Amino acid sequence: MTRGWSISEKAMRIPLDNWASYESSLNTQPIATKTTINVIIYLLGDWLSQTVFVKKNILEFDALRTLRNGFIGLVFGPLVHEYYEFSDYILPVDVGMNRLYKIFMDQTIYLSIKCSIYIVAVNVLAGESLEYSIQTAKDKILGIMFTAWRFWPLVHCITYGAIPARHRILWVNCVDLFWNAILALKTSSNDERDGQNTEQIQNLEVRDEFPDKSGSLLDGHSNNLTEPHVNNLTSTTDEK
C-alpha cells in the first residue's frame, strides 16, 4: 500500500533534491553551472536594486538595464571561475597566511579590475561612448573601493575560511545581493544631493535672468543689486 507525499514532506525534499542536482551539475559542468548562477544573481541583484532596496513598486524597473546586467554576469561567470582557480593555485588555502594574501589580492587587484570593467560595460551597453565610460570608471572606482573595504574583508574571512572552493562563487554571489543594496543606497543618496544641487543652480540662473518684484536684477550669488544698477541709482541721487 502506498500514499502520496504530504505538503510538508515535499517542502523538505525540494531544497535537498535541488541541492543534489546542483552538486551533480557542478561535478559534470562546473563552468556552465557557476555561470548560470552568476547570471541569475546579476539579474536578481539589479532588479532588487531598482525596486525593493529603494522601496519602489516591484514591477516598475528598467528591464533593459536588468538584461544588460544579466549579460555582464554571463561574461563574468567563466572569468570569475578562472580567477578563483588561479587564486587557489598560487595561494593554497592550506597555508594559513595565504588566506590573508588572498583577501588582500581580492580587495586590490581583483576588485579594482572587476569593478572598472563592470562600470565601463554598463555604460557602453547603455549607449555611452567608450571615452565617457572609462572616465566614469575612473571617477567612481575609488569611492566604490572604499565602500567595499568596509564590507568584503569580513565576508572573505568566511569565503576562504569556511566555504569549499567549489561553492565560493555561489557564496560570493549570494552576498552580492547585499553588496548591491549598499551600492544602491549609496547611489540613491548621491543622486538626491545632485538633484538638490541642480535645483539650486537652476534657481540661481532664473534669478540672473529675471528681475525681482522691485524691478531690479539680482546678483546670481546674493540678494544684493548688481554693480551697474547700484551705480545708476547713485548717479540719479547725485543729479537730484
Side-chain angles (χ1 to χ4, degrees):
M1 184 175 181
T2 60
R3 65 175 179 83
W5 284 23
S6 66
I7 295 178
S8 60
E9 288 174 329
K10 291 178 181 178
M12 291 179 60
R13 288 303 313 174
I14 288 175
L16 295 175
D17 290 344
N18 286 341
W19 182 259
S21 298
Y22 166 73
E23 288 275 7
S24 175
S25 179
L26 202 58
N27 288 328
T28 57
Q29 297 177 313
I31 297 179
T33 302
K34 293 176 183 178
T35 300
T36 301
I37 297 294
N38 208 51
V39 171
I40 293 172
I41 293 296
Y42 269 69
L43 290 170
L44 182 60
D46 183 77
W47 173 73
L48 288 174
S49 71
Q50 293 187 65
T51 56
V52 177
F53 293 153
V54 291
K55 298 180 180 180
K56 291 186 178 180
N57 190 307
I58 61 173
L59 298 179
E60 295 179 0
F61 67 99
D62 186 345
L64 288 178
R65 172 185 142 174
T66 301
L67 290 175
R68 289 195 295 266
N69 271 269
F71 175 74
I72 295 172
L74 178 66
V75 175
F76 273 170
L79 299 177
V80 173
H81 167 80
E82 294 300 333
Y83 166 76
Y84 280 112
E85 292 289 317
F86 173 73
S87 175
D88 286 339
Y89 177 75
I90 63 172
L91 296 170
V93 292
D94 298 338
V95 181
M97 286 299 294
N98 280 353
R99 296 174 182 175
L100 295 178
Y101 298 147
K102 289 166 81 73
I103 293 174
F104 178 77
M105 185 169 71
D106 275 358
Q107 296 305 298
T108 52
I109 301 173
Y110 174 71
L111 179 67
S112 60
I113 293 176
K114 183 182 178 183
C115 287
S116 296
I117 294 175
Y118 175 80
I119 295 170
V120 171
V122 165
N123 282 277
V124 169
L125 291 175
E128 301 291 351
S129 67
L130 181 61
E131 292 77 9
Y132 173 84
S133 303
I134 293 174
Q135 186 59 49
T136 301
K138 291 179 180 179
D139 294 339
K140 290 185 176 182
I141 189 61
L142 193 59
I144 290 175
M145 291 187 70
F146 280 140
T147 303
W149 290 339
R150 297 195 295 267
F151 178 79
W152 280 107
L154 180 59
V155 172
H156 284 318
C157 287
I158 301 174
T159 302
Y160 297 117
I163 306 298
R166 57 197 274 108
H167 298 312
R168 282 178 192 153
I169 292 181
L170 177 63
W171 158 252
V172 171
N173 281 338
C174 291
V175 179
D176 261 336
L177 292 177
F178 298 96
W179 168 241
N180 286 339
I182 293 174
L183 289 182
L185 293 174
K186 180 180 173 63
T187 303
S188 176
S189 300
N190 290 338
D191 289 343
E192 289 177 0
R193 288 196 295 270
D194 291 342
Q196 293 173 355
N197 292 337
T198 301
E199 183 178 357
Q200 292 174 355
I201 292 172
Q202 290 174 344
N203 289 338
L204 291 176
E205 290 174 348
V206 170
R207 289 166 58 189
D208 279 339
E209 184 174 354
F210 299 101
D212 69 353
K213 293 180 181 179
S214 65
S216 60
L217 281 175
L218 295 177
D219 176 58
H221 301 287
S222 68
N223 290 329
N224 297 327
L225 293 172
T226 56
E227 184 177 354
H229 293 78
V230 173
N231 293 336
N232 290 338
L233 289 175
T234 304
S235 62
T236 305
T237 305
D238 291 342
E239 289 175 359
K240 291 180 179 179

